[in-house]
Structure formats: structure tokens, C-alpha cells
Amino acid sequence: MTSLPRNAGPVKLGLVIDLDICVGCHACAVNCKEWNTSGHSAPLTDSDPYGADPSGVWFNRIHTFEVVNEAGDSRTVHFPKSCLHCEEAPCVTVCPTGASYKRQEDGIVLVNAEACIGCKLCSWACPYGAREYDEDVGVMKKCTLCVDKIYNENLDPRSRAPACVSTCPAGARHFGDLGDPQSEVSLLVAARGGYELMPEQECKPVNRYLPPRPKRQTPAVDSGAALQPATPEGEAAGLLARWVDRVLSR
Amino acid sequence: MHPAKSVILFTTASGAGYGLLAWLGLLAAFGVLPSERWFGLAAFALGLGLVVTGLLSSTLHLGHPERAWRALTQWRSSWLSREGVAAVVTFLPVGLFAFYWIVDGTNSDTLAVVGLLASLCCLVTVICTAMIYASLRTIRAWASPWTLPSYLVLSALSGAVLLNLLLQLWGLPHNGAFAWMAAALFILAGLVKVLYWRNVMYGEPAGTAESATGLGPQGRVRLLEAPHSESSYLMQEMGFRIARKHAEKLRRLTLLGGFLAPFVLIVVGQAAPGLGSLLAALASLPLLAAGLAVERWLFFAEAKHVVTLYYGESRA
């Protein structure tokens, strides 16, 4: 059923991404591809991977933006983006077959590959570009929030987090229940002013982004006399230097 | 948006087919449908042929056409599913209508009722087709209030042009009056499309690079580095740019060649009923078909998706 769950449970699993910390290394995207190509929506097909025009299915993409403030100071912001597991997921309601669905128990949005007809309408309905079509298999694929990892009892409890979160070397990604206001991720969002992307699209995404912290205001450095060019007349140059200068200038 | 040929053919052909069938049903409801058997057969073959061509074409871009039946299940939430259901349901009253008109040919009261019913079903199906696009908030051009009127008037127009040609070919009564109806629809279609395009050009953007990234409070945002060096599904499907460069020319081409020229031909043709109006009706069809092909190509190709905001666009 592609209608959204009528009695959505209190649990809203999602990601919190810290734009202040992300260094843009793409490790999350690579580990996502590695885990998921043999996971719930496997395979994440590549076409022409070693040729001139490679393309393929990825659930996670890292964009890099430049933000220029009014003073003209710019900063670079690395911006990872994957499915935001929206509460009002338009990709779910537009699906004509019921292949696209949102789980009642934890809010994860998934695709049933057995029922997908590959009409691509869900990818048109998603404002975030979270869905990617697998040309080879003929069905739509998307981030599963590593549903096959986060509940996997064969794994060490510390590893039961999405691949992108487990692998982030900078600690820029957090995973948890955003439906619980006392969860670690919710407290983090509250403390840092975490926000949702494109609220005007009214999809109510679950994932939150933590804004880059304001830049530290470092005082302008006076480069001092040491860095000024030595001039024979200037007081900076000593007696010996002035003599050498005069001798060599002849 | 990527203008897939199968979807262009689907929307134009099924629109014309449903338009023609709806006009036939409406004429039956008003008791002015000619009872000419060969005319009836030709009209139905053309209308149903276009509808079936369009619907089959729409399955061509599916990854799994053999599962297309599944698309009839989610009518509670999905306009695409509703369109499928409406298309299937419409075959019933249209079939009955064909039976009472061509095979039975006697009971005019029943014919009027099934004609009206067929007409309404065609209308509902075209509304569903339009709503597939009009319900997508991610594409500002389509979410406009002018998308639904565009689809309706273009379906009515293409149906009217086909019916006008058939009426002229058979030299049936009322063909003069119907030619004027077709002419009037050309003007109405031009007007609605101008309003649609005005909204595309001057409407408020659905989003900006600042709102998409949420970094607006920190300053102006521009893409420094794309997430991937090569093209991707998203870029091929949503990042189509060629049309916007030529949009102005293509709009003029549609208005002048596709709407104004056949309008003038049909009006001038009325000065010489018979051969003149027949030649005008004949010439108006390829002009409209070419105009609609350009119009529909542009409908997809110039529509900008908000995901492009993550790929270097500043407004969408």
C-alpha cells in the first residue's frame, strides 16, 4: 500500500549530518556502495565502470558548496546527501504499484523490487534526488538506512549503524531515533540548531543537518618588521648589511 | 526534465483519442450524432486507435512493462494509478457507446446516456493524466494551476480537429458549426498555453540553492564541486537543459504554426464550404500535430526540477 502509514509509530530513524565537521572525503558514499551492493537492494549496478563513460547507482552523494557571506568571506561546505526518510514522503504516495512504502515501525522508506515497474515517477516526486534508477535491473533503488545492518544481530552492537555512519572518519554523521526528543541525536539537533532541507516542499524529512559553526574571528595579523624588505636607508638594516649593500651595489 | 519520446507520444495520442471520443459522446448526448455507419466506424477506430497507441507507448519507458497491471492498485494515493484505472474503466462505456451507435443504431435515448457517460469517463482520464504532472511540487512549471487546463483544452482541441476532418470528409450536417468550434478551441488553446508559459517565465521559484542546502542564513550559495565527475541518472533525467536555450523560439513556433496557422486555414476554409473547408480541415491536422509535438516536448524539456539546485542551479 503506497498510502503513508495511518498510525505511524513514534520511532523515526534517521541521520544527523554535521556540516561543520564533514571534510568531504566521500568515505561514507564509498562504504554505502560497498555495503549495499550486497545488501537489501543489491546490486548497485555500475555500467561501463572502467570505461570512458562510467555511471552507476549510488545512494549517497557528497556535494561541495561555497558560501559567501555579506562581507565577501567565503567558506567551503561539504554536503553529503542521501534519502531523508520523509514523514510525508511524496515518493511513496505517487507510486502506482505499492512498491514504494514507508515502514510503520521505524519510518524507513523502502522499495519492494519485486513490485516496482520502473516508471521513475518516485524519482520525479523526490525533491532531494534520493532515488536512483537501476537501468540494468529496471527498478528504482534508494538508501535503505542499512535496514539489513542496523537490526543485524550477527553484528557487534556497535556496528549496528548505517554503513555511512560507521565509516565516517571525522564523526560527522550520527544515527538514531529522531522521534524521541531525549535521544542523543535529538539532543544534538536541539543544541546545534539542526534543520531540515527544503521545508517549503512540505515532505517533513526526518534527517537533520547541523549548520557550520560561525568562523572564529581571528584578528588581522601584523606581519611586523621582520617581513618588510630590507632597504639600505631603513633603520631595519644594520650597519653590516648597509655596508654589504653598498659594496655589492658598486 | 528528460523529454522521453514514449511519454510525449502517450500524452498527445491518448489526449487526442480521448478528445475525439468525448466529442462523439457529447454529440450523441445532444442527439446530433450522425448515424452514418462508416463514419462511426472510422471515428471509433481513430479514437480508440490513438488511445491504445498512447497507453501502450506509456508502458515503453517502464523498466518492467510486464508488471504494468500492478499500477492499477494504488488509486487511493497515486494519480498515475488513478489514470490507469480511469483508462481501463473508460473502455466499458466507450464500448457500449460504439455498440449502440454502430451496431444497434436504433435506441437514441440509450445512445445519449452511454454517449454522455463515455464522454465523462474520457474527461476524467485526461484529468488524471494532467494531475500526474500537476501534483508534483518538485517541478514548479508543472505544479502551476495552468497544467490541468492545458491538458484539457489541448485534448479537446486535438479531438475537435480530428472530428472536424471526419465530418468534412463525409460531408455530414453541422460540419460548418463544428468547424467554428474547432477554430474557437485553437484560440482558447493558445490563450491557455500563453498563461502557462507566463507562469513558467515569471512565477516564483520553488526553491533556491540557499533553501535547498539550508545555508542561506550564512550567505550566498554556489556549487563548488559536483558529487561526481561523470553524468548520473539524476542528471540525465532531471538535468535536461537544451530546451531552455530555445524555449522562446519553440513557444512562438507552437503558437504561430501549431495554433494560429490552422485557425486561419479553418476560418478561411469556411468561405468555401465543401472543398475549401475540407482542404482546410486536412491541412490543420499535420499543423496541429507538429505544434503539439513541439509543445509537449517543451512541456517536459523546459521544466526544471528542484534537485538541480544541488547540481549548480541557483533557482528552480
Side-chain angles (χ1 to χ4, degrees):
Chain A
M1 185 54 59
T2 53
S3 296
L4 293 161
R6 233 173 258 136
N7 306 308
V11 180
K12 297 177 199 168
L13 294 186
L15 301 173
V16 174
I17 294 165
D18 193 336
L19 298 179
D20 194 64
I21 293 180
C22 177
V23 294
C25 70
H26 292 239
C28 52
V30 174
N31 199 29
C32 165
K33 178 102 173 168
E34 192 276 334
W35 176 268
N36 282 293
T37 202
S38 49
H40 175 275
S41 299
L44 304 199
T45 317
D46 287 323
S47 67
D48 197 18
Y50 306 106
D53 188 21
S55 71
V57 182
W58 294 71
F59 294 163
N60 194 1
R61 305 273 196 186
I62 294 83
H63 305 241
T64 300
F65 293 98
E66 178 191 60
V67 188
V68 183
N69 69 12
E70 277 172 13
D73 292 335
S74 72
R75 70 188 298 166
T76 303
V77 179
H78 301 290
F79 192 95
K81 189 167 57 58
S82 52
C83 174
L84 294 95
H85 297 278
C86 303
E87 287 179 61
E88 302 284 337
C91 57
V92 169
T93 52
V94 298
C95 176
T97 68
S100 197
Y101 64 104
K102 185 169 174 72
R103 291 175 19 138
Q104 187 163 352
E105 61 269 38
D106 53 16
I108 298 180
V109 176
L110 292 175
V111 178
N112 173 6
E114 300 294 306
C116 176
I117 57 172
C119 72
K120 305 174 191 163
L121 190 57
C122 55
S123 69
W124 294 8
C126 171
Y128 309 109
R131 292 184 165 238
E132 299 210 0
Y133 184 67
D134 190 328
E135 203 73 55
D136 203 44
V137 187
V139 300
M140 195 58 75
K141 297 188 172 177
K142 68 176 292 299
C143 158
T144 65
L145 210 61
C146 288
V147 68
D148 41 18
K149 187 166 184 277
I150 58 177
Y151 295 115
N152 193 333
E153 291 181 1
N154 297 316
L155 297 176
D156 182 273
R158 284 175 306 173
S159 296
R160 292 179 206 164
C164 56
V165 175
S166 304
T167 205
C168 179
R173 305 179 71 99
H174 307 269
F175 163 67
D177 177 11
L178 286 144
D180 170 8
Q182 293 309 314
S183 69
E184 265 181 56
V185 280
S186 294
L187 293 175
L188 187 61
V189 168
R192 291 280 307 281
Y195 60 86
E196 55 184 83
L197 302 184
M198 277 198 272
E200 65 273 19
Q201 287 282 326
E202 296 173 23
C203 305
K204 293 199 197 161
V206 169
N207 287 11
R208 289 288 184 274
Y209 283 76
L210 306 181
R213 292 184 176 90
K215 270 186 173 176
R216 267 196 297 271
Q217 289 301 315
T218 41
V221 179
D222 181 7
S223 52
L227 294 178
Q228 299 302 321
T231 53
E233 299 78 23
E235 289 173 16
L239 186 64
L240 183 63
R242 275 181 290 170
W243 179 77
V244 169
D245 181 66
R246 196 176 307 153
V247 169
L248 294 180
S249 299
R250 276 190 193 141
Chain B
M1 301 297 292
H2 172 68
K5 287 181 201 74
S6 59
V7 181
I8 293 174
L9 183 64
F10 155 56
T11 54
T12 50
S14 72
Y18 285 124
L20 174 58
L21 294 172
W23 279 116
L24 292 172
L26 214 56
L27 293 190
F30 285 101
V32 290
L33 188 66
S35 54
E36 178 80 29
R37 181 158 292 177
W38 286 107
F39 165 74
L41 269 178
F44 261 109
L46 189 59
L48 278 176
L50 283 167
V51 164
V52 171
T53 305
L55 293 177
L56 285 181
S57 158
S58 76
T59 63
L60 284 183
H61 83 291
L62 297 181
H64 283 278
E66 79 284 3
R67 297 178 185 166
W69 61 271
R70 288 182 184 273
L72 302 176
T73 58
Q74 304 303 313
W75 49 269
R76 284 186 202 81
S77 71
S78 164
W79 280 106
L80 178 53
S81 186
R82 285 171 199 160
E83 199 267 346
V85 172
V88 170
V89 167
T90 302
F91 283 113
L92 187 69
V94 166
L96 282 175
F97 177 37
F99 174 80
Y100 280 108
W101 184 24
I102 301 165
V103 184
D104 186 60
T106 51
N107 193 335
S108 63
D109 282 343
T110 319
L111 183 65
V113 172
V114 291
L116 188 63
L117 206 61
S119 200
L120 282 175
C121 284
C122 292
L123 176 71
V124 169
T125 310
V126 175
I127 289 176
C128 290
T129 308
M131 287 310 293
I132 297 172
Y133 306 104
S135 66
L136 295 175
R137 205 180 282 143
T138 47
I139 300 154
R140 183 182 66 79
W142 296 354
S144 124
W146 293 106
T147 300
L148 178 57
S150 298
Y151 270 83
L152 285 176
V153 73
L154 292 177
S155 169
L157 169 66
S158 40
V161 166
L162 289 171
L163 184 53
N164 180 42
L165 177 59
L166 292 172
L167 288 170
Q168 302 289 346
L169 275 174
W170 263 266
L172 292 166
H174 310 299
N175 63 20
F178 200 78
W180 285 110
M181 169 68 86
L185 280 170
F186 272 114
I187 298 301
L188 190 63
L191 204 67
V192 170
K193 277 314 286 190
V194 166
L195 290 168
Y196 174 87
W197 285 324
R198 276 185 63 88
N199 180 65
V200 172
M201 286 187 287
Y202 306 118
E204 282 291 301
T208 59
E210 285 75 22
S211 76
T213 56
L215 295 170
Q218 310 227 0
R220 274 180 297 111
V221 176
R222 83 179 174 93
L223 184 71
L224 193 62
E225 217 175 332
H228 35 86
S229 55
E230 305 303 313
S231 188
S232 71
Y233 165 73
L234 289 177
M235 298 320 297
Q236 286 154 12
E237 190 76 2
M238 326 279 177
F240 200 81
R241 286 185 184 185
I242 301 161
R244 275 169 243 147
K245 198 169 127 201
H246 303 298
E248 200 47 50
K249 271 183 205 152
L250 292 171
R251 286 175 195 146
R252 270 203 299 271
L253 194 68
T254 306
L255 285 178
L256 299 181
F259 297 160
L260 190 64
F263 164 78
V264 171
L265 278 175
I266 287 181
V267 170
V268 170
Q270 285 305 296
L275 188 64
S277 55
L278 174 63
L279 287 178
L282 267 174
S284 66
L285 185 61
L287 284 171
L288 174 70
L292 278 186
V294 173
E295 181 272 336
R296 208 51 54 88
W297 186 85
L298 200 54
F299 175 80
F300 288 97
E302 74 172 336
K304 210 194 247 187
H305 194 286
V306 289
V307 78
T308 56
L309 295 171
Y310 296 108
Y311 286 88
E313 293 285 345
S314 54
R315 293 153 62 92

